[in-house]
Structures are given as C-alpha cells and as structure tokens.
Amino acid sequence: MNLTDIREIEALLTRHGFHFSKTLGQNFLIAPWVPERIARAAVPDGETQVGVVEIGPGVGCLTEQLALRAEKVLSLELDETLRPVLAETLSGRDNVEIVFGDARKVDFSAIVEEKHKGLRHVFCANLPYNVTTPILTALIEAGGFEKIVVMIQKEAARRLCAAAGTEDYSVLSALAQWRAELQVLFDVPADCFLPRPKVTSSVIELRRRAVPLVADTDEKLFFRVVRAAFAQRRKTLSNALSSTFGTAGREAVAEALDAFGMDARTRGEALGAEQFALLTKALAKRL
Ligand code: SAM
C-alpha cells in the first residue's frame, strides 16, 4: 500500500471508521517526498546501528521510511483507533514496535535504554503541534538522543532558533541551543497534509553537541537557572534568581554579569545559552 496516496489513505481510514482528531494534531502526510526526506535526514545513507524513537505514526508513512533505514523503530501513538490501521499498514515490518500511550508521560532515557540498548539513539517525528513544546523540552532534558529530527510549525522552528534578547527567545530556545546545534533543513507546505493545516511546517535538526558549550556545567542546575530567569521575565536577572536561589543567586548574577561586561539591570532573556552555563557555574560555587 502507498501510505502517502490520498485515495488509498482515505479508503483505508474509511474502512476502519477512523475520524481525524484536531486535538491530537492529526495532519497526515500525503506527499511521498516528505517522509522519505525526513527519514533520510534522521538516518543518512550508510549509517548503521541506529534505533529511532518516533511519536505519532498516524498511518505509518514516516515509520515505514524509518524502518527501511534504521535497525529498530519504536513508535508511540496515543490514538487507540489507529491500532487496527497500523496493524494492517506496518504488518511484516519486523523492526517496528508500536506502543500505545501518551508520549508526554514517557521517560525517554529509560525507554531508549530498554528498547534500543547498544544502538545509536535518534528521535524523529512529524510532531503533533499541540505537544511540540512539552515533548521537545522532555527530549532535550533527557539528553539521550544524538540527533532529533522533527517536523514542527515553521513559527515554532523560528522560535527554537531565536537569538538571546529577541522576543521569540524562550526557555526552550536556551535549553535547545545549549544541548544541540540547530539547523532548519527544509519547509513543508500545507498542501502536503491531510487535512490541510493553516500554516507551513519546517523540518528541523537538533544535533547534540559533541563538546559541551561550557565544560563541567551542572545540568540540573542549568535547567533551574534558565527556568528561574524566564519565570519572571519582567524582573531583572538578579531579582529573578534571588527569588529562587536567595543571596547566592544575587551574588552569582553580580559576578557573572560583571564578567560578561553586562549591566546589573539585565534581564534573563538577554543571556545566551553559553552565558547561562557560565552563570550556572558561578552559582554552583556558592550553593
Ligand atoms: N506520522 C504521521 C504522518 O506524518 O503522517 C502522523 C503525524 S500527525 C501530525 C501526529 C500523530 O501524533 C497522530 O498520529 C496523533 O494521533 C499522534 N499523537 C498526538 N498526541 C500524541 C501523544 N500525546 N502521544 C503520542 N502520540 C500522539
């Protein structure tokens, strides 16, 4: 079966009494070049021993392409009504495992260890737009994937890549840029999906940094520092951090800002990922 042929998909879904859910962000790909190109980015020619984790197989068009390239594919799907559909479309794909459940509740570090032990860990998905932020945050915090290739809304991709100090810069941009090198690979127009969404999508790659931006940064503390800085965006960095870390926070901010040559009234959103890491180190010395 051609899993991106609109007529074949419609016939398949009608046969199984399936209805698209907006809440689940169900926009299925109907252009064959898209899943092929995403899968090639996730598992380039010649790469071996790759275990891919996917979220949201839908009817399985991307899953199928990934299965042709990877050693193993584990795909998490929330919608139980897709169970019989996937049993049909992916039958015979022995290296694919579909697990039904909510991807927001998954411990990604544990799952790759359990399911893809000894393999290189890659994450790849056409992400449901409504869970983009929580899923990407969890993936970045878990840190276990050497590469993440995801299709998200073009706007969301732009926000992820936003530079410090801009309006679009967020907790997620800082965390992502600290953990990985980001590259927007290509755009996908709305007419490549069924049903057609209102916006353009982008495929973005997050390649985990081989060498950390700042050596020996306490990861957990880094995440807390970034969150504390953004929790009160209107406050100065010094005030925002002292609400979470007390005097130690205030002193670390003073030292770090001085070292960066920045003003004491600086706000958290002005700091790039590297500066946040240096600030974390200054704070670690005081806690
Ligand atoms: N991969 C397919 C494709 O590219 O055509 C479908 C992608 S569609 C944008 C998103 C998929 O994610 C749907 O199959 C939807 O049911 C599933 N989904 C939505 N929320 C989910 C969640 N919290 N956990 C797991 N799957 C979810």
Side-chain angles (χ1 to χ4, degrees), residues 3-281:
L3 297 180
T4 49
D5 183 291
I6 185 161
R7 261 171 296 183
E8 290 196 38
I9 298 176
E10 279 175 339
L12 168 82
L13 295 177
T14 306
R15 196 149 40 77
H16 286 282
F18 173 86
H19 297 286
F20 285 96
S21 154
K22 211 170 173 179
T23 343
L24 291 179
Q26 289 177 336
N27 300 95
F28 296 171
L29 281 165
I30 48 161
W33 67 271
V34 185
E36 270 171 40
R37 197 159 162 197
I38 297 175
R40 203 174 335 124
V43 191
D45 291 341
E47 280 197 6
T48 55
Q49 297 298 305
V50 178
V52 180
V53 175
E54 183 195 21
I55 287 180
V59 298
C61 65
L62 177 58
T63 323
E64 180 183 57
Q65 290 299 320
L66 291 166
L68 292 171
R69 299 180 155 266
E71 194 73 16
K72 283 183 167 187
V73 180
L74 172 74
S75 193
L76 308 160
E77 175 57 64
L78 181 56
D79 188 349
E80 279 283 345
T81 67
L82 286 168
R83 191 186 281 274
V85 176
L86 286 161
E88 182 178 330
T89 57
L90 296 177
S91 75
R93 300 258 168 231
D94 297 338
N95 59 343
V96 175
E97 184 181 354
I98 308 285
V99 173
F100 285 87
D102 190 341
R104 284 167 296 187
K105 297 185 180 144
V106 163
D107 176 344
F108 288 104
S109 305
I111 210 165
V112 290
E113 261 316 295
E114 185 199 331
K115 304 282 188 180
H116 293 168
K117 206 173 176 56
L119 298 178
R120 295 166 61 189
H121 304 314
V122 169
F123 181 90
C124 182
N126 168 11
L127 275 183
Y129 71 94
N130 48 331
V131 298
T132 300
T133 300
I135 294 293
L136 282 179
T137 307
L139 292 172
I140 289 161
E141 285 205 38
F145 293 97
E146 85 183 45
K147 191 160 59 170
I148 296 173
V149 175
V150 279
M151 179 150 60
I152 56 181
Q153 293 189 346
K154 190 178 166 94
E155 267 301 299
R158 207 170 52 85
R159 285 200 300 275
L160 214 53
C161 299
T166 62
E167 204 182 313
D168 283 337
Y169 189 59
S170 66
V171 171
L172 188 53
S173 340
L175 300 189
Q177 292 170 28
W178 175 72
R179 176 75 85 194
E181 284 170 298
L182 277 59
Q183 196 187 352
V184 174
L185 301 179
F186 56 94
D187 288 347
V188 179
D191 61 10
C192 291
F193 300 88
L194 176 77
R196 196 179 196 276
K198 290 202 178 71
V199 296
T200 301
S201 300
S202 295
V203 176
I204 185 167
E205 175 187 274
L206 291 83
R207 191 179 285 270
R208 192 176 58 199
R209 291 183 188 279
V211 179
L213 261 186
V214 175
D216 305 320
T217 311
D218 177 332
E219 254 185 58
K220 290 228 159 62
L221 187 59
F222 175 85
F223 295 135
R224 284 181 66 204
V225 168
V226 174
R227 290 212 161 87
F230 280 92
Q232 296 160 306
R233 266 185 108 125
R234 293 214 181 77
K235 284 196 177 177
T236 63
L237 187 57
S238 174
N239 283 341
L241 256 67
S242 59
S243 338
T244 303
F245 298 103
T247 319
R250 194 177 292 281
E251 286 170 3
V253 170
E255 181 198 316
L257 291 182
D258 196 41
F260 308 149
M262 286 172 112
D263 192 275
R265 287 160 303 175
T266 297
R267 297 201 172 142
E269 65 217 41
L271 264 55
E274 187 174 358
Q275 291 175 321
F276 270 123
L278 292 168
L279 171 59
T280 303
K281 287 190 92 164

